Amino acid sequence: MQEKKMDRDILPSVGRFAPSPTGRMHLGNIFCALLSWLSAKSKGGKWLLRIEDIDAGRSRQEYADWLMDDLAWLGLEWDGEPVYQSQRSEIYECYFERLKQQGLTYPCYCTRADLLATQAPHESDGRVVYRGTCRHLPPQAGRAAATRLIVPDEEIHFTDGHYGDHSVNLAQQVGDFIIRRKDGAWAYQLVVVIDDALMGVTEVVRGRDLLLSSPQQLYVARLFGFPSPQFVHLPLLCNVQGQRLSKRDQSLDMESLRQRSTAPQLIGLLACMAGLLPSPEAITASELLPLFSWEHVPCQDVMVKDLSC
Ligand code: GLU
Ligand code: ZN
């Protein structure tokens, strides 16, 4: 065990930011960008950018251009060329086929209404579990189907770098999950794993809304024989109503933030929310590097009352 840990410490750390270009970034997105950048760069590592544009209906190049402009404005430079998921379909196809050939998948014909009628909310976290309705159906030629991955009835353990130990039984708490949508689009849970592995990502920093996706992703990684990245989840930024910040909170999107503040002011505000500064003084991302430590970052969600901290 000891040896393994040392290996991990010696290996260069590779972090990443993986936004979906479906709108202008907001404060919550750049909080995540800053912390994943600080985490990778404070260890002398690389920080990669992946544009998660698999949802063709919602993604736009214009938003991808804006998000790169916003990251550059903030002083968060990424290493290498950005990777676009929309250009990697052949790679995904090849991994998808492997799962199919191993008999680990099946078509699911359920409509949204079917799912609502058969799913029961999981008692502890309100999530819904797919009951395996289509698992034993004979294939129905000509009917559009999503593809689900069969999950094992066993506990998957992992230790989040910020929220500690977790154990999830995928069969009981999630159910067989979708890896390709009915319209042929790739599912996030499949491609995120393939891309993180192929890009050599060792550390995944993202909002804690994805904490419970981690066991699904660890399972997919295990099926392909990929090493598991270290997951480090972040508290969410919430508005005064206690709801997670979203694209609806327009006063906190980058368009509005860039009109009202300078990049160092905004970095200072984020640093204060992350517990890295006692008050929101202006500071650059590079100047923050020596002050960064996960120990200062809260586990509780952070409430944002306009541009104060
Ligand atoms: N595109 C995903 C999102 O923006 C990325 C999730 C992840 O970092 O794994 O929510
Ligand atoms: Zn089904």
Side-chain angles (χ1 to χ4, degrees), residues 110-121 128-133:
C110 293
T111 60
R112 204 172 283 271
D114 293 334
L115 293 176
L116 283 176
T118 55
Q119 286 177 332
V128 288
V129 181
Y130 180 67
R131 297 281 179 206
T133 320

Side-chain angles (χ1 to χ4, degrees), residues 16 18-20 50 52 188 192 196 204-206 209-210 217:
R16 50 70 154 179
S20 306
R50 183 170 68 237
E52 299 215 321
Y188 159 71
V192 70
D196 281 339
V204 170
V205 176
R206 59 189 181 191
D209 53 317
L210 290 164
Q217 296 169 12

